[in-house]
């Protein structure tokens, strides 16, 4: 029996490390997706923000975030051990080591901050972004995550279910992105004086689509890896619901934009598939295949309307971070309370459509509202504070010339003829 346990533990460790690597690869997807959606003059700034997400996110989560999120519970609201991976972590009872578990969760926290990155693309000060990354990975995400996922978290004890993070990761990140987009304001020229939105053409849609495909691939690690076990019998079902929801989101957006705009809209289709992925993340282990299709389709349509609503309100979200993550994450969280199959969540628990009553749906709604308000309010507060330390937004000249040259001193694409005076470019910030 001891040998079998060791083999199972080894398999689980391999599974979790591999799926953590798949989730980390999603950062390549975020980089390509956002670089393709923004203008060519800001592509390097996207890549640099992704490196900030990974480098600073991993370190801060190791120093502080993991302890606040998964440390020994204090009153259901915060963890008090596990800083620097030390202290009492005996309450985390898994077949994998605490270090392996940290690695998987680290990949999640990096994904959260990457959601916000897209909403402030092309105009945020790089130094300010670093400071906000520290705030998100040290406090905003870990504390909300503790409430839902940690042993003793108050929302988890109420019965909130979020298998892989529609609420904790996507809705939190999406509403944080909304706060950031509102505070920092729209890009120069995005809106006319009368409030009419102007189209800012993406620089490279093929690049953006490859980014979406990488994200789609990584999502199988995101959802299936959340079993934390290579021998869990639900892995196949989770992968199928993930695939179906993404396909439904993309297919629905193709048909819906053909009907609404008379042409299939490529950016909407790309984001429609991602919306389906976001929506199924909370319930991928608990809902049926048909329910996954419904969730993906609804999220795809809702994303289109949410994108139009933002523009009508004068809010500039260059990559659709809020419509994709905030709206779809919210719908996916609520969908668990509607579509959870009998006994899939726990014995005697099911969604409203399966005769489970209103309890699970009510808990899901409560948890969603709390997490969204937390992300929005804390992001708003931290960005206001950061603006007192360093300017939150780049200067007008830097924005017009592009953040690649204005902030980082190098363009994304080299000139075919001649040479660039990089010294002069870098000194242009002084």
């Amino acid at each position: 029996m001891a040998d079998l346990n060791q083999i199972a533990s080894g398999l689980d460790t391999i599974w979790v490390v591999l799926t953590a690597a798949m989730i980390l690869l999603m950062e390549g997807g975020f980089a390509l997706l956002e670089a393709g959606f923004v203008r060519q003059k800001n592509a390097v700034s996207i890549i640099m923000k992704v490196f900030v997400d990974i480098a600073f996110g991993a370190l801060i989560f190791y120093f502080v975030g993991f302890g606040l999120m998964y440390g020994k519970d204090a009153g259901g609201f915060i963890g008090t051990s596990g800083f620097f991976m030390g202290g009492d972590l005996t309450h985390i009872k898994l077949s994998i080591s605490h270090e392996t578990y940290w690695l998987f969760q680290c990949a999640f926290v990096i994904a959260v901050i990457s959601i916000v990155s897209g909403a402030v693309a092309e105009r945020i000060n790089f130094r300010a972004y670093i400071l906000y990354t520290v705030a998100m990975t040290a406090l905003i995400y870990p504390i909300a995550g503790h409430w839902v996922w940690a042993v003793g978290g108050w929302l988890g004890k109420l019965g909130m279910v979020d298998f892989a993070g529609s609420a904790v990761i996507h809705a939190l990140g999406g509403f944080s992105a909304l706060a950031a987009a509102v505070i920092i304001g729209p890009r120069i020229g995005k809106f006319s004086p009368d409030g009419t939105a102007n189209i800012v053409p993406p620089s490279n849609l093929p690049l953006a689509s490859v980014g979406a495909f990488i994200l789609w691939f990584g999502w199988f690690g995101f959802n299936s890896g959340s079993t934390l076990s290579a021998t869990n019998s639900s892995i196949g079902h989770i992968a199928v619901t993930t695939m179906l929801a993404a396909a439904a989101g993309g297919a629905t957006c193709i048909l819906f934009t053909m009907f609404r705009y008379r042409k299939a809209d490529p950016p909407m289709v790309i984001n429609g598939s991602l919306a389906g992925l976001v929506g199924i993340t909370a319930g991928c282990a608990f809902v049926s295949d048909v329910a996954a299709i419904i969730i993906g389709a609804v999220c795809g349509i809702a994303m289109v309307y949410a994108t139009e609503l933002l523009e009508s309100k004068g809010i500039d979200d260059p990559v659709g971070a809020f419509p994709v993550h905030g709206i779809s994450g919210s719908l996916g969280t609520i969908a668990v309370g509607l579509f959870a199959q009998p006994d899939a969540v726990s014995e005697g628990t099911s969604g409203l459509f399966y005769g489970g009553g209103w309890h699970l749906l009510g808990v899901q709604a409560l948890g969603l509202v709390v997490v969204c308000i937390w992300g929005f309010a804390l992001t708003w507060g931290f960005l206001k504070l950061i603006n007192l330390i360093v300017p939150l937004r780049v200067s007008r000249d830097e924005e017009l010339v592009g953040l690649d040259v204005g902030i980082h001193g190098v363009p994304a694409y080299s000139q075919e003829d001649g040479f660039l005076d990089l010294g002069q470019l870098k000194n242009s910030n002084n």
Side-chain angles (χ1 to χ4, degrees):
M1 181 62 71
D3 290 340
L4 289 176
N5 288 337
Q6 285 183 331
I7 292 173
S9 178
L11 289 173
D12 292 346
T13 299
I14 293 171
W15 171 248
V16 172
V17 170
L18 286 177
T19 52
M22 290 174 66
I23 300 170
L24 184 60
L25 180 62
M26 292 172 72
E27 292 307 301
F30 276 117
L32 296 180
L33 177 78
E34 294 178 15
F37 272 158
V38 304
R39 289 166 290 186
Q40 181 175 313
K41 63 183 180 180
N42 294 308
V44 170
S45 72
I46 294 295
I47 305 303
M48 289 301 294
K49 291 209 299 295
V50 170
F51 272 102
V52 169
D53 299 340
I54 299 172
F56 285 86
L59 291 173
I60 299 302
F61 192 64
Y62 180 83
F63 296 150
V64 180
F66 184 80
L68 292 177
M69 188 165 179
Y70 288 107
K72 191 173 182 179
D73 177 67
F77 290 95
I78 199 169
T80 59
S81 63
F83 306 105
F84 291 81
M85 289 299 295
D88 184 6
L89 292 173
T90 55
H91 56 283
I92 304 177
K93 301 185 184 300
L94 298 169
S95 62
I96 57 176
S97 68
H98 294 147
E99 287 184 322
T100 305
Y101 188 53
W102 173 86
L103 180 66
F104 188 80
Q105 296 300 330
C106 176
F108 271 26
V109 74
I110 292 169
V112 175
I113 186 61
S114 297
I115 295 170
V116 182
S117 168
V120 294
E122 301 198 282
R123 68 256 201 229
I124 193 169
N125 185 321
F126 188 64
R127 295 177 180 86
Y129 184 76
I130 293 174
L131 293 176
Y132 177 72
T133 298
V134 172
M136 173 61 87
T137 56
L139 294 171
I140 302 174
Y141 167 73
I143 292 177
H146 183 89
W147 298 344
V148 181
W149 285 337
V151 177
W154 71 278
L155 286 174
K157 287 196 293 186
L158 286 177
M160 185 177 180
V161 177
D162 189 6
F163 188 76
S166 284
V168 176
I169 293 175
H170 297 288
L172 175 78
F175 275 84
S176 297
L178 176 62
V182 171
I183 287 179
I184 201 166
R187 291 167 289 177
I188 296 172
K190 172 60 181 175
F191 295 100
S192 300
D194 64 357
T196 304
N198 298 311
I199 296 175
V200 181
S203 64
N204 195 327
L205 279 177
L207 195 71
S209 66
V210 172
F213 296 145
I214 293 174
L215 287 168
W216 195 329
F217 169 79
W219 229 287
F220 290 108
F222 210 97
N223 288 356
S224 298
S226 293
T227 59
L228 302 177
S229 172
T231 58
N232 191 304
S233 61
S234 67
I235 288 175
H237 177 69
I238 292 169
V240 169
T241 56
T242 300
M243 184 69 192
L244 290 174
T252 301
C253 277
I254 290 174
L255 298 175
F256 188 65
T257 56
M258 287 175 66
F259 171 79
R260 191 168 180 81
Y261 308 133
R262 301 291 184 258
K263 294 180 180 179
D265 187 282
M268 289 292 190
V269 172
I270 290 171
N271 277 346
S273 295
L274 297 179
L277 288 164
V278 170
I280 197 60
T281 299
C284 54
F286 311 128
V287 304
S288 68
D289 296 350
V290 173
I293 294 172
I294 295 171
I295 292 168
V298 171
C299 287
I301 294 174
M303 180 277 302
V304 175
Y305 280 118
T307 301
E308 294 176 351
L309 178 62
L310 282 188
E311 290 199 341
S312 71
K313 299 297 182 182
I315 300 172
D316 186 12
D317 183 351
V319 305
F322 176 71
V324 171
H325 299 277
I327 296 300
S328 301
S330 299
L331 291 173
T333 303
I334 295 298
V336 175
L338 299 173
F339 293 104
Q341 299 183 95
D343 302 325
V345 174
S346 61
E347 187 174 352
T349 300
S350 60
L352 180 65
F353 294 160
Y354 287 87
W358 295 92
H359 176 74
L360 180 59
L361 181 60
V363 171
Q364 294 295 106
L366 171 65
L368 174 66
V369 170
V370 169
V371 168
C372 291
I373 291 176
W374 173 261
F376 187 94
L378 268 290
T379 294
W380 189 282
F382 272 114
L383 289 180
K384 289 291 187 180
L385 178 62
I386 290 169
N387 196 44
L388 299 176
I389 302 171
V390 296
L392 193 59
R393 184 164 178 152
V394 298
S395 69
R396 179 180 176 84
D397 289 343
E398 288 169 334
E399 184 173 347
L400 290 175
V401 75
L403 274 59
D404 293 357
V405 171
I407 298 297
H408 301 291
V410 59
Y413 303 97
S414 61
Q415 305 295 316
E416 292 185 4
D417 300 308
F419 298 92
L420 290 170
D421 186 349
L422 294 182
Q424 181 178 352
L425 292 176
K426 291 177 181 177
N427 290 333
S428 66
N429 292 328
N430 298 331

